[in-house]
Amino acid sequence: MPPPSLKAQFDEHGFVIVANLVSPDDLALLRDACDDVVARTRRGEWTLRRTVGKQFPPYGDGDPDSWGVQMLMHPDLGHPVFAKWYTSDALTDTVRELLQCRDEDLQMELFNLLINPTSHDFALRWHRDDVKGDATLEEEEKALTLWHHGRARRALYDDSCLFVVPGTHKLIDDYGCSESPLDMPGAMAVSLKPGETVFYNSNILHLGTYSAKHKRATLHASMGDARGGSVRARNVLQHGLNWMKEEPFRNTLTEKGKTMLDRLIKMQKNAGEVGYSLEN
């Protein structure tokens, strides 16, 4: 019997690991670019970051340590390799397979970097990306039917920081709020080798663990299906993407990237005020 397709694995488990979506040359370029943006963030030169002590936006500036770098495709960072990979055929073809959509449905969304803190180890709490922690079971059930998107984490180094509970992207349950991956029944670590990418449904129960002892640079992206309308608006636009509507960014993109961007801008226009998905 042939192995199940990527789509079948994604639908059944809520995540799937895919190798070889980046060439060795581009992997080296991505590592170099990440080293640069991390150094600039730690020096305080790049202030769009995920701040230790804050799990969700707005991240603020309450701690000098960081666990993420925001807006990798921003032209002020000066690294076109990020947009090149985000809009690459290898990545978008995989997303199209998982979402069962066409090129003309793909919507540009977020592209950030997850990094190791330098001060101490910590773990985020269990969550679904756009379902509030105090949601009723009825609200949770409704939310699980609305998503049309894909989220990807591309490891540039060995990475076992993501924990998931397989199958919970379609399971309504009172799962509590333990901060320890070991306390969640059914939880497993998603282990990635350099160059591997995990695609996961953001409705799956998941958390991240962050160690100050090991270097981490994991690309963290989302891509949407425009057929979902404004369903994704809050979870995407809460990060503040007005800079993406400006010409300097648009001019860095291929024609394919520009059409993906146009769908994001359309969603923003139709969404109005969105607020924040989750509370710190």
Side-chain angles (χ1 to χ4, degrees), residues 46-274:
W46 185 253
T47 59
L48 301 177
R49 64 190 181 98
R50 298 190 177 199
T51 306
V52 169
K54 295 288 187 179
Q55 177 164 349
F56 309 113
Y59 293 107
D61 198 33
D63 192 291
D65 201 0
S66 304
W67 61 274
V69 181
Q70 299 285 86
M71 316 306 175
L72 290 183
M73 295 188 289
H74 199 297
D76 288 352
L77 283 176
H79 290 292
V81 67
F82 292 129
K84 176 185 176 183
W85 183 71
Y86 185 93
T87 59
S88 67
D89 289 343
L91 181 61
T92 60
D93 287 352
T94 305
V95 173
R96 282 195 299 103
E97 179 180 352
L98 297 179
L99 299 185
Q100 294 292 285
C101 67
R102 306 162 299 172
D103 276 335
E104 53 264 41
D105 299 320
L106 288 177
Q107 175 177 285
M108 183 174 288
E109 294 186 350
L110 305 171
F111 195 17
N112 305 309
L113 177 67
L114 304 178
I115 65 175
N116 58 286
T118 60
S119 57
H120 64 280
D121 301 348
F122 65 92
L124 305 180
R125 73 173 187 256
W126 288 101
H127 64 284
R128 310 180 196 268
D129 281 345
D130 200 35
V131 181
K132 294 187 180 297
D134 61 355
T136 66
L137 294 183
E138 291 77 15
E139 291 170 336
E140 189 174 1
E141 182 176 17
K142 180 179 178 180
L144 298 194
T145 67
L146 295 178
W147 287 75
H148 299 271
H149 74 292
R151 194 172 291 266
R153 294 191 183 193
R154 149 81 58 182
L156 302 184
Y157 304 93
D158 288 336
D159 190 324
S160 298
C161 299
L162 175 65
F163 283 73
V164 301
V165 183
T168 52
H169 61 298
K170 53 186 178 182
L171 177 65
I172 312 301
D173 193 17
D174 182 10
Y175 52 86
C177 57
S178 171
E179 293 184 355
S180 172
L182 302 179
D183 292 341
M184 178 64 75
M188 60 168 286
V190 178
S191 297
L192 301 175
K193 295 297 183 182
E196 289 185 328
T197 303
V198 59
F199 294 84
Y200 65 96
N201 185 314
S202 286
N203 282 327
I204 197 171
L205 287 175
H206 65 284
L207 61 68
T209 59
Y210 289 80
S211 171
K213 305 177 186 67
H214 305 288
K215 181 175 182 176
R216 186 188 191 193
T218 298
L219 302 174
H220 185 42
S222 70
M223 195 175 294
D225 180 345
R227 294 175 300 176
S230 295
V231 170
R232 297 270 300 127
R234 180 173 66 179
N235 196 243
V236 175
L237 301 178
Q238 65 177 338
H239 290 266
L241 303 180
N242 285 333
W243 61 273
M244 298 177 77
K245 298 189 294 184
E246 299 173 355
E247 284 302 309
F249 173 60
R250 187 178 188 85
N251 291 339
T252 67
L253 299 174
T254 62
E255 288 304 312
K256 175 182 177 179
K258 290 174 183 176
T259 60
M260 294 172 67
L261 174 63
D262 288 341
R263 295 178 196 113
L264 172 65
I265 293 172
K266 180 179 179 181
M267 181 181 73
Q268 185 181 40
K269 288 180 179 177
N270 293 334
E273 295 296 323
V274 295

